[in-house]
């Protein structure tokens, strides 16, 4: 049996295996070598962050039972999409598709920071007062639906092999848990690794309360897009231990660390206080 047929035949087991395996690894790493001291009780945060993950999983299954893999299979059956037009070897098509889908996710991430109404949805991810493995999966259900629709469109245009969509989703899931980890990596290892993969220190900059830092390092898996498009930032000004995580205006744990508050967060606040028209950060010399 071909490797891609094997993977498609064991899709659910591979997805669950990676999810629980990487989750457990990062969670243990956070206990033994944490990068920062957490500011909110972990049990409470985890219950609510993971509650949101369960809710999103149910919503997605109800709305899109066939999911991205179903769209890729339909595109393949119809011969839709760029990669089906040319006779490309499967392995090359898989590599190209995974890289292209990662670029789409990068561009989508820049977009949800730039467009005020979309930033309202995305700020649920950023409002977490701490930064750990559960932050990586914490998104408002409406943003999850938007992401899925964008992914469907990308798949229809691109025409990736079905197996590429499975690999892409498993990779994105695993890297999101890894790079949101509150974990300590030796600095030398981080420096080398971040040429190939978004590391926890790289993505943590993106969760700063400072707008210039939050509007950088948009990549989730591959770090190249930030360097290529000029949104790369090496380190937070205050350092990883001192930097403030979250959103400046929303710091009440009752609101940002509880499921009802998180679900309401896109709908609170005035309509002038975000993204493109919101630029505020402390100067390097005034701490
Ligand atoms: Zn973001
Ligand atoms: Zn993040």
């Amino acid at each position: 049996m071909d490797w891609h047929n094997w993977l498609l035949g064991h899709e659910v087991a591979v997805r669950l295996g990676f999810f629980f395996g990487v989750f457990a690894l990062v969670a243990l790493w956070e206990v033994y070598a944490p990068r920062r001291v957490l500011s909110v009780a972990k049990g409470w945060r985890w219950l609510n962050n993971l509650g949101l993950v369960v809710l999103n999983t149910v919503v997605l299954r109800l709305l899109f039972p066939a999911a991205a893999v179903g769209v890729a299979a339909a595109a393949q059956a119809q011969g839709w999409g760029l990669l089906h037009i040319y006779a490309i070897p499967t392995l090359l098509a898989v590599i190209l598709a995974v890289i292209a889908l990662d670029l789409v996710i990068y561009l989508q991430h820049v977009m949800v920071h730039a467009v005020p109404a979309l930033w309202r949805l995305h700020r649920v991810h950023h409002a977490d007062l701490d930064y750990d493995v559960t932050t990586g999966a914490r998104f408002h259900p409406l943003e999850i639906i938007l992401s899925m629709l964008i992914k469907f469109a990308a798949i229809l245009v691109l025409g990736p092999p079905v197996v590429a969509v499975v690999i892409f989703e498993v990779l994105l899931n695993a890297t999101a848990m890894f790079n949101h980890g509150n974990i300590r990596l030796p600095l030398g290892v981080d420096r080398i690794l971040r040429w190939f993969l978004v590391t926890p220190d790289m993505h943590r900059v993106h969760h700063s309360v400072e707008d210039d830092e939050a509007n950088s390092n948009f990549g989730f898996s591959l770090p190249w897009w930030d360097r290529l498009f000029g949104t790369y930032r090496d380190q937070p000004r205050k350092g990883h231990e001192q930097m403030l995580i979250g959103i400046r205006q929303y710091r009440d744990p009752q609101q940002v660390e509880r499921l009802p508050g998180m679900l309401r967060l896109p709908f609170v606040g005035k309509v002038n206080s975000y993204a493109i028209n919101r630029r505020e950060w402390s100067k390097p010399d005034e701490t």
Side-chain angles (χ1 to χ4, degrees), residues 15-141:
R15 278 177 194 271
L16 289 177
F18 264 89
F19 175 75
F20 287 110
V22 175
F23 187 95
L25 268 177
V26 176
L28 275 177
W29 196 344
E30 288 181 343
V31 172
Y32 287 108
R35 186 70 160 110
R36 292 164 51 90
V37 180
L38 297 181
S39 62
V40 184
K42 195 170 174 177
W44 188 23
R45 261 188 70 247
W46 275 37
L47 192 68
N48 286 277
N49 283 356
L50 294 176
L52 188 53
V53 175
V54 172
L55 176 67
N56 286 335
T57 309
V58 172
V59 168
L60 279 185
R61 277 212 74 85
L62 289 176
L63 279 179
F64 312 111
V69 167
V71 175
Q76 191 162 295
Q78 303 289 333
W80 290 336
L82 291 174
L83 291 169
H84 289 131
I85 294 176
Y86 307 99
I88 303 172
T90 308
L91 185 61
L92 182 61
V94 167
I95 293 169
L96 288 176
V98 168
I99 293 175
L101 287 171
D102 194 70
L103 172 60
V104 171
I105 295 288
Y106 166 86
L107 293 172
Q108 177 194 334
H109 193 181
V110 173
M111 179 181 77
V112 297
H113 273 254
V115 179
L118 301 182
W119 165 249
R120 285 182 165 250
L121 300 179
H122 184 59
R123 68 187 180 191
V124 173
H125 178 65
H126 280 262
D128 203 345
L129 300 171
D130 282 321
Y131 180 87
D132 72 11
V133 62
T134 63
T135 312
R138 183 190 137 126
F139 291 93
H140 195 276

Side-chain angles (χ1 to χ4, degrees), residues 138-196:
R138 183 190 137 126
F139 291 93
H140 195 276
L142 290 175
E143 183 174 9
I144 290 284
I145 293 170
L146 176 74
S147 298
M148 196 47 105
L149 293 175
I150 289 173
K151 203 185 320 182
F152 289 173
I155 288 170
L156 291 175
V157 171
L158 196 63
V162 179
V163 73
V165 174
V166 178
I167 292 174
F168 171 71
E169 291 192 318
V170 167
L171 270 182
L172 187 68
N173 192 247
T175 52
M177 286 190 282
F178 167 70
N179 61 39
H180 286 86
N182 181 31
I183 57 183
R184 189 179 293 277
L185 267 179
L187 293 181
V189 174
D190 177 275
R191 238 192 326 270
I192 296 167
L193 193 61
R194 68 164 70 186
W195 280 103
F196 309 100

Side-chain angles (χ1 to χ4, degrees), residues 234-266:
D234 192 20
Q235 306 292 338
R237 268 190 298 278
K238 291 190 174 171
H240 289 279
E241 267 121 88
Q242 297 304 316
M243 69 182 286
L244 200 54
I245 299 278
I247 299 177
R248 211 188 292 276
Q249 304 94 310
Y250 301 106
R251 312 223 45 94
D252 176 8
Q254 294 288 345
Q255 180 184 29
V256 298
E257 303 295 1
R258 282 218 156 150
L259 202 44
M262 288 187 230
L263 292 176
R264 271 199 302 267
L265 198 59

